[in-house]
């Protein structure tokens, strides 16, 4: 049969038009969109069965739809990458990682258990072959999130619930396809695969897919920043990524294509997000939203179209089998969700998932495109006997329809029964306050407008009375919520402020104030603080803020590299990052104090906003202290950065000015282009971050220690060779009491504190410490800690012995000080 391209175009675009027109209908009827699509698709399918030869356009259209012949490959290679990439791209990767244990458990272990339970019960009840039934089990266990997630969005369900459900179905699609491939291979080739071999094969395919997607996406992230700011290029490349990762994995490397696409999307959504400008990200997510929407709309309607032909030969016996299948599949899901998930939480392998959430997950495990695609794959494969094909096709179709038409429409009811669609008390309180404020505002404006236009008094009163009544009821609502204490309000305020902070951080990135690296670090910090607030309220906030200001773990490695191998580049880079990070943090807190908090104050009430003011002040002070110690150590670099900042602001102002002049037609496009070009060079120069010179050359450090200064050039040269420079971070313990001594230290700049019980003795530039353990061959007498940044010269024990042997004057000077300290 020759299918003309015009027919395909007619069929596809016609269906798409019908599909999207159903969206407003679904909204009006308050009915899940995807379910409506499937229903209309079914009606189409029926129409195709009965009316073969309608004349004219309608007949052509129906024929075109019929000839489109949706195959398993179409679904798997055209629709699935788009669907999977879109939903994985939109997922909050950090939140997903928080719950990765229960998600993977549900997606992998849960799917295997479910496939086994369904398989054995169907085998037992219907007498069909065990492998066929297990295959059926694998197919019907792949959940599809689309319909449920849409319902969650409409009802404003908690975010974590959405992530659990969406994460599960992203990963279990892959599991189902892998299991399906193994079982189908067994059935068609007749070869048995042992359990261990099966598990090995499964892991290989699953993890192989993850790796392929990860590598491809990371490569793209490396390339993206070098491509200039052309959103079209970047957006298109992500579309290629979605499909290429799928095809490379599935077709060439024979690993899981779904996992490749999922992991590629997750990398793009986390690392990739900071490799491109926020505007490009915005157009990227909008484009993907459209692609996802089209794919979803088409797939559900097409799935509906094939249903009637798949069910054409179903009889009473099949109906009974279907009931058994439904029973087994739901029993398996109940066992996993009510039995195994809580067990994992109890063993502390996964975070706790509440009973209400679990009930939604149980009932919301809908099946969709992937299950039907796999059933189609069975139908299309001539190696399967006809009765197996029919059996699988009918059972899967029946089951998918059941979840779509029974579970999906009843989900909103279940959610409201469990109270998951309600706002939290604090959110409700906020809503009431916002409403009251806005009503007061509108009422006053309305009164003024009426007075200005000389509207007659009775009409004005009538209009105002409406607002008065609404205001009264909003205030009444507020009174009902008096029970919320100050701490709760502060907590709400903190969450809102952190949301604001996230925006500001992205803004800094967009205007080039912070680099991608530091932006990522700061976004991660915000998430940590949010978690802190959620788990321990105000105290959690303070703790996480403090932790974020401490030196990150990478410094350990950097210091080790510097001290052991004299490698300073990494340490210098981290310190330059810290400069950037602290400057940006200071700016953000300032903006929060100045703008965001005053805006929120009327909503949160005086007491809570006073609390927030205090918290922000504390934070600003901590940042100032950290900034001060860094600036004291590297004043030159601080000045260079300040200069660079000013230049950047100037550049932005200039460029804005040019934009305005162009918009007002003061200058022509040509002149504008010339002016912009001149800015471009300056911008490129500014984008390079200046290098931080740590100045850790031994000669320089030795010259600052008076102890050595009087020794004469030749001896200094000799000594310099023995001394190793080292930078210490504020509060770092250079020596721990009780340790063995391997070296002594001369302070070149900064200061260190000797901690002797309650007493703290401050040593400054030129002083030394750590000599006693070397002289006495005894453990360290005290802990010595750097106060602020501190540059030291380290003399290791062998060099110490040599130095003292060759320089009796130094020996007696050091011993004299040690004697004094005893
Ligand atoms: P050591 O015992 O090797 O390690 C701890 C160091 O603290 C010690 O050497 C001295 O250098 C220093 N220290 C101990 N006691 C005093 C003190 N009273 N005044 C100054 N420094 C001291």
């Amino acid at each position: 049969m020759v299918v003309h391209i015009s027919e395909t175009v007619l069929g596809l675009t016609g269906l798409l038009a019908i599909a999207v027109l159903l969206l407003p209908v679904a909204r009006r009827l308050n009915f899940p969109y995807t379910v409506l699509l499937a229903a209309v698709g079914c009606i189409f399918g029926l129409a195709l069965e009965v009316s073969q030869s309608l004349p004219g356009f309608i007949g052509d259209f129906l024929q075109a739809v019929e000839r489109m012949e949706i195959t398993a490959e179409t679904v798997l290679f055209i629709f699935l990458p788009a669907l999977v990439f879109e939903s994985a791209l939109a997922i909050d990767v950090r939140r997903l990682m928080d719950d990765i244990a229960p998600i993977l458990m549900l997606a992998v272990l849960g799917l295997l258990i479910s496939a086994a339970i369904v398989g054995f019960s169907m085998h037992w009840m219907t007498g069909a072959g065990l492998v066929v039934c297990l295959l059926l089990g694998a197919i019907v266990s792949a959940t599809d999130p689309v319909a449920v997630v849409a319902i969650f969005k409409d009802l404003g369900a908690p975010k974590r619930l959405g992530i659990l459900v969406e994460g599960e179905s992203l990963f279990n699609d892959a599991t189902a396809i892998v299991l399906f491939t193994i079982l189908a291979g067994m059935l068609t080739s007749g070869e048995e695969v042992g359990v261990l071999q099966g598990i090995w094969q499964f892991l290989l395919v699953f993890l192989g897919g993850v790796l392929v997607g990860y590598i491809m996406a990371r490569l793209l992230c490396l390339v993206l920043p070098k491509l200039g700011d052309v959103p079209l290029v970047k957006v298109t490349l992500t579309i290629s990524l979605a499909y290429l990762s799928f095809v490379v994995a599935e077709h060439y490397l024979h690993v899981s294509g779904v996992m490749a696409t999922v992991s590629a999307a997750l990398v793009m959504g986390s690392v990739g997000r900071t490799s491109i400008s926020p505007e490009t990200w915005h157009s990227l997510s909008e484009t993907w939203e459209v692609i996802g929407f089209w794919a979803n709309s088409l797939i559900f309607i097409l799935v509906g179209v094939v249903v009637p032909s798949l069910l054409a030969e179903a009889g009473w016996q099949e109906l009974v089998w279907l009931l058994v299948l439904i029973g087994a599949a739901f029993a398996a899901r109940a066992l996993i969700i009510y039995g195994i998930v809580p067990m994992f939480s109890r063993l502390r392998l996964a975070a706790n998932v509440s009973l209400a959430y679990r009930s939604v997950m149980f009932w919301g495990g809908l099946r969709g495109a992937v299950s039907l695609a796999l059933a189609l794959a069975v139908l299309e494969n001539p190696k399967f006997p006809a009765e197996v094909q029919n059996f699988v096709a009918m059972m899967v179709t029946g089951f998918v329809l059941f979840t779509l038409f029974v579970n999906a429409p009843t989900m909103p009811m279940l959610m409201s029964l469990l109270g998951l669609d309600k706002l939290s008390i604090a959110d409700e309180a906020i809503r009431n306050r916002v409403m009251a404020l806005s009503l007061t505002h509108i009422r006053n404006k309305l009164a003024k407008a009426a007075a200005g236009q000389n509207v007659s008094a009775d009409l004005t009163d009538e209009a105002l009375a409406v607002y008065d009544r609404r205001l009264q009821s909003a205030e009444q609502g507020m009174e009902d919520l008096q029970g919320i204490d100050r701490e709760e309000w502060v907590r709400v305020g903190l969450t809102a402020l952190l949301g604001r902070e996230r925006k500001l951080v992205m803004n800094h990135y967009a205007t080039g104030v912070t680099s991608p690296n530091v932006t990522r670090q700061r976004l991660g910090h915000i998430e940590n603080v949010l978690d802190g607030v959620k788990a321990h309220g105000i105290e959690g906030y303070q703790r996480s803020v403090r932790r974020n200001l401490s030196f990150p773990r990478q410094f350990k490695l950097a210091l080790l590299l510097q001290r052991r191998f004299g490698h300073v580049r990494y340490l210098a880079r981290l310190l330059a990052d810290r400069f950037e990070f602290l400057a940006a943090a200071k700016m953000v807190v300032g903006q929060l104090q100045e703008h965001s908090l005053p805006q929120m104050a009327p909503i949160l009430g005086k007491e809570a906003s006073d609390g927030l003011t205090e918290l922000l002040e504390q934070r600003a002070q901590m940042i100032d202290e950290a900034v001060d110690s860094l600036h004291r150590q590297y004043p030159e670099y601080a000045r260079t950065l300040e200069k660079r900042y000013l230049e950047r602001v100037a550049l932005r102002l200039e460029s804005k000015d040019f934009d305005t002049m162009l918009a007002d037609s003061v200058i022509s496009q040509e002149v504008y282009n010339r002016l912009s070009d001149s800015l471009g060079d300056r911008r490129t120069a500014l984008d390079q971050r200046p290098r931080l010179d740590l100045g850790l050359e031994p000669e320089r450090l030795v010259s600052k220690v008076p102890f050595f200064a009087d020794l004469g050039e030749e001896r200094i040269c000799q000594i310099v060779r023995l001394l190793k420079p080292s930078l210490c971070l504020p509060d770092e313990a250079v020596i721990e009491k009780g340790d063995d001594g391997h070296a002594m230290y001369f302070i070149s700049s900064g200061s260190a504190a000797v901690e002797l019980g309650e007493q703290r003795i401050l040593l400054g530039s030129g002083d030394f410490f750590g000599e006693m353990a070397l002289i006495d061959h005894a453990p360290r007498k005290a802990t010595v800690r750097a106060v602020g940044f501190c540059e030291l010269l380290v003399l290791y024990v062998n060099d110490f012995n040599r130095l003292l042997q060759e320089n009796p004057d130094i020996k007696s000077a050091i011993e004299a000080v040690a004697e004094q300290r005893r």
Side-chain angles (χ1 to χ4, degrees):
M1 180 172 57
V2 183
V3 182
H4 291 289
I5 200 80
S6 60
E7 275 190 346
T8 315
V9 172
L10 175 66
L12 266 184
T13 46
L15 274 188
L16 199 57
I18 294 176
V20 296
L21 285 176
L22 289 175
L23 186 63
V25 178
R27 293 252 160 97
R28 175 97 28 104
L29 297 178
N30 212 355
F31 191 77
Y33 173 53
T34 41
V35 182
L36 189 63
L37 284 172
V40 171
C42 283
I43 296 172
F44 252 101
L46 283 175
L48 291 180
E49 299 271 302
V50 290
S51 62
Q52 286 299 339
S53 51
L54 273 179
F57 180 76
I58 304 275
D60 286 350
F61 174 60
L62 283 176
Q63 210 169 25
V65 172
E66 187 174 20
R67 287 195 186 180
M68 270 190 337
E69 279 213 5
I70 169 135
T71 62
E73 287 218 322
T74 327
V75 179
L76 292 183
F77 280 86
I78 298 183
F79 289 102
L80 202 55
L83 291 171
V84 164
F85 195 88
E86 192 254 341
S87 53
L89 191 69
I91 235 172
D92 185 336
V93 180
R94 247 188 67 86
R95 290 264 184 105
L96 179 77
M97 287 304 152
D98 285 348
D99 275 319
I100 196 73
I103 287 174
L104 278 184
M105 195 206 69
L106 280 172
V108 180
L109 197 66
L111 186 127
L112 296 178
I113 293 176
S114 158
I117 291 180
V118 172
F120 279 104
S121 23
M122 288 305 280
H123 171 61
W124 182 56
M125 282 301 291
T126 66
L130 179 61
V131 182
V132 174
C133 291
L134 286 173
L135 186 82
L136 176 64
I139 298 177
V140 296
S141 302
T143 54
D144 185 309
V146 178
V148 198
V149 170
I151 296 170
F152 285 176
K153 256 187 215 154
D154 283 349
L155 294 178
K159 201 161 171 200
R160 182 169 175 227
L161 187 56
I163 288 193
L164 284 169
V165 171
E166 209 168 352
E168 179 200 1
S169 62
L170 273 180
F171 291 106
N172 79 5
D173 281 356
T175 318
I177 295 176
V178 177
L179 186 61
F180 172 85
T181 317
I182 295 175
L183 291 169
M186 273 168 74
L187 267 179
T188 49
S189 71
E191 275 174 35
E192 295 260 320
V193 177
V195 172
L196 274 184
Q197 196 192 349
I199 293 178
W200 172 240
Q201 210 174 330
F202 173 78
L203 284 178
L204 210 66
V205 172
F206 194 87
L207 297 177
V210 174
L211 198 66
V212 171
Y214 179 81
I215 293 175
M216 290 180 69
R218 281 310 284 235
L219 286 178
L220 184 63
C221 290
L222 283 182
V223 177
L224 281 179
K226 300 187 172 58
L227 293 177
D229 210 16
V230 192
L232 277 180
V233 175
K234 300 185 177 181
V235 174
T236 312
L237 280 176
T238 61
I239 299 176
S240 301
L241 175 69
Y243 284 94
L244 282 181
S245 54
F246 194 90
V247 176
V248 168
E250 193 78 34
H251 196 70
Y252 290 99
L253 300 173
H254 305 293
V255 291
S256 166
V258 179
M259 276 327 296
T261 308
V262 168
S263 78
L266 293 178
V267 171
M268 282 312 295
S270 49
V271 183
R273 205 185 191 108
T274 43
S275 313
I276 53 181
S277 70
E279 292 85 39
T280 309
W281 182 261
H282 186 68
S283 35
L284 190 148
S285 25
E286 274 189 345
T287 310
W288 270 104
E289 204 176 316
V290 174
I291 296 177
F293 176 69
W294 286 358
N296 261 321
S297 306
L298 277 176
I299 193 74
F300 272 93
I301 209 162
L302 284 172
V303 155
V305 171
V306 291
V307 162
S309 61
L310 291 178
L311 287 181
E313 286 165 34
W316 282 109
Q317 187 176 31
E318 282 78 12
L319 188 65
V320 175
W321 290 349
L322 180 63
L323 290 178
V324 174
L325 175 66
I326 292 171
F330 276 98
R333 200 158 172 80
L335 175 77
I336 295 154
I337 288 190
Y338 294 110
I340 299 180
V341 171
M343 199 171 77
F344 261 60
S345 315
R346 230 168 287 137
L347 293 174
R348 293 186 183 277
L349 294 173
N352 200 22
V353 183
S354 73
L355 192 64
Y357 278 23
R358 275 183 278 138
S359 305
V360 174
M361 290 165 79
F362 165 72
W363 196 240
L366 308 186
R367 317 300 201 266
V370 171
S371 298
L372 278 172
L374 294 177
L376 284 173
V378 173
L379 260 187
E380 289 158 13
N381 192 336
K383 285 192 191 149
F384 286 106
E387 69 270 12
V388 168
Q389 290 183 334
N390 280 337
F391 173 68
V392 171
M394 274 183 227
M395 289 301 110
V396 174
T397 317
F399 188 62
V400 170
L401 285 186
F402 180 84
T403 62
L404 282 185
F405 291 131
V406 177
N407 293 45
T410 45
M411 280 292 291
M413 228 152 57
L414 176 70
M415 302 221 354
S416 70
L417 210 69
L418 294 168
L420 288 175
D421 57 341
K422 286 200 191 75
L423 287 175
S424 70
I425 299 182
D427 281 339
E428 203 162 315
I430 287 204
R431 193 196 54 193
N432 283 332
R433 277 202 189 170
V434 168
M435 187 109 96
L437 275 174
S438 131
L439 287 172
T440 318
H441 186 69
I442 293 173
R443 189 196 177 283
N444 293 345
K445 280 223 158 151
L446 199 62
K448 226 187 233 165
Q453 290 294 322
N454 287 331
V455 176
S456 46
D458 56 329
L459 281 181
T460 312
D461 287 346
E462 212 173 291
L464 291 183
V466 176
Y467 282 93
D468 286 338
R469 270 200 302 279
R470 283 176 62 189
L471 193 61
Q472 225 172 14
S473 84
E475 275 166 357
Q476 186 108 43
M478 274 157 61
E479 270 164 29
D480 293 345
L481 294 163
Q482 288 299 333
I484 306 176
D485 58 6
R486 172 180 170 273
E487 166 128 8
E488 183 65 29
W489 277 114
V490 173
R491 192 195 284 243
V492 170
L494 284 175
T495 314
L497 276 179
L498 285 163
R500 183 85 206 122
E501 186 168 340
R502 196 186 287 131
K503 278 216 177 108
L504 291 172
V505 166
M506 284 317 282
N507 221 0
H508 282 169
Y509 173 58
T511 46
V513 174
T514 47
S515 60
N517 252 342
V518 172
T519 308
R520 255 195 302 272
Q521 184 191 2
R522 296 178 65 204
L523 290 176
H525 282 172
I526 293 178
E527 294 299 326
N528 291 342
V529 183
L530 265 175
D531 289 348
V533 173
K534 229 177 284 158
H536 306 286
I538 298 176
E539 210 187 290
Y541 176 83
Q542 286 167 314
R543 223 182 300 156
S544 330
V545 161
R546 212 169 303 126
R547 188 154 4 100
N548 288 345
L549 282 175
S550 62
F551 289 86
R553 253 175 297 153
Q554 291 97 309
F555 269 91
K556 263 210 170 117
L557 175 67
L559 288 172
L560 189 84
L561 289 174
Q562 187 270 317
R563 286 169 195 169
R564 281 279 153 83
F565 308 106
H567 178 91
V568 287
R569 288 271 286 277
Y570 187 42
L571 183 59
R573 214 190 79 202
L574 291 184
L575 281 169
D577 277 353
R578 189 168 169 81
F579 258 105
E580 198 183 312
F581 157 71
L582 287 176
K586 192 176 158 101
M587 224 183 310
V588 163
V589 173
Q591 280 164 324
L592 292 179
Q593 283 174 314
E594 235 170 87
H595 303 294
S596 314
L597 195 55
Q599 273 172 8
M600 282 164 46
I603 298 172
L604 294 173
K606 178 160 168 25
E607 242 187 306
S609 53
D610 283 352
L612 288 173
T613 311
E614 199 184 311
L615 284 174
L616 282 182
E617 262 164 24
Q618 280 171 5
R619 189 167 160 201
Q621 201 179 345
M622 281 196 279
I623 295 175
D624 277 345
E625 278 166 19
V627 168
D628 278 352
S629 75
L630 205 54
H631 280 211
R632 234 178 288 131
Q633 183 65 22
Y634 302 107
E636 269 313 302
Y637 190 68
R639 276 178 65 83
T640 314
L641 288 186
E642 278 166 10
K643 197 166 144 227
R644 178 167 168 254
Y645 172 71
L646 281 184
E647 281 171 22
R648 184 167 268 151
V649 173
L651 202 65
R652 211 175 42 236
L653 292 176
E654 262 180 75
S655 132
K656 230 182 184 173
D657 228 28
F658 297 162
D659 287 346
T660 325
M661 283 195 258
L662 178 70
D664 296 347
S665 305
V666 177
I667 53 174
S668 70
Q669 185 70 43
E670 286 76 24
V671 174
Y672 175 82
N673 291 350
R674 284 287 157 78
L675 288 169
S676 302
D677 284 349
S678 70
L679 291 187
D681 295 342
R682 279 164 63 196
R683 195 171 289 136
T684 322
L686 274 180
D687 278 346
Q688 290 286 350
R689 186 169 69 184
R691 270 263 192 85
L692 168 61
D693 180 9
L694 296 186
L696 280 176
E697 299 78 29
E699 294 79 6
R700 193 184 71 86
L701 297 196
V702 169
S703 72
K704 287 206 273 179
V705 180
F707 190 80
F708 300 119
D710 314 329
L711 292 179
E713 209 157 304
E714 203 181 313
R715 280 176 74 197
I716 291 184
C717 263
Q718 184 201 352
I719 289 170
V720 160
R721 259 179 270 136
L722 302 179
L723 294 165
K724 307 278 177 287
S726 166
L727 179 74
C728 287
L729 304 181
D731 283 333
E732 186 183 350
V734 187
I735 282 178
E736 296 267 12
K737 184 176 177 179
D739 280 359
D740 287 338
H742 301 293
M744 71 169 288
Y745 305 84
F746 296 89
I747 303 175
S748 167
S749 76
S751 47
V754 180
E755 295 176 354
L756 283 166
E758 291 286 285
Q759 207 187 356
R760 244 174 126 239
I761 300 168
L762 269 188
L763 303 177
S765 172
D767 288 334
F768 57 79
F769 58 87
E771 75 295 347
M772 292 169 87
L774 304 192
I775 295 173
D776 302 344
H777 303 287
R780 299 288 193 194
K781 295 259 175 331
T783 294
V784 184
R785 207 176 279 285
V787 181
F789 284 94
C790 186
E791 285 173 332
L792 300 177
L793 285 159
V794 188
L795 182 62
Y796 287 101
V797 61
N798 289 340
D799 300 329
F800 171 83
N801 291 334
R802 237 176 76 195
L803 181 83
L804 263 56
Q805 221 167 28
E806 290 168 11
N807 302 280
D809 50 338
I810 297 184
K811 181 176 182 199
S812 54
I814 292 181
E815 279 179 353
V817 172
E819 193 52 42
Q820 252 179 30
R821 287 175 174 174
R822 265 187 244 283

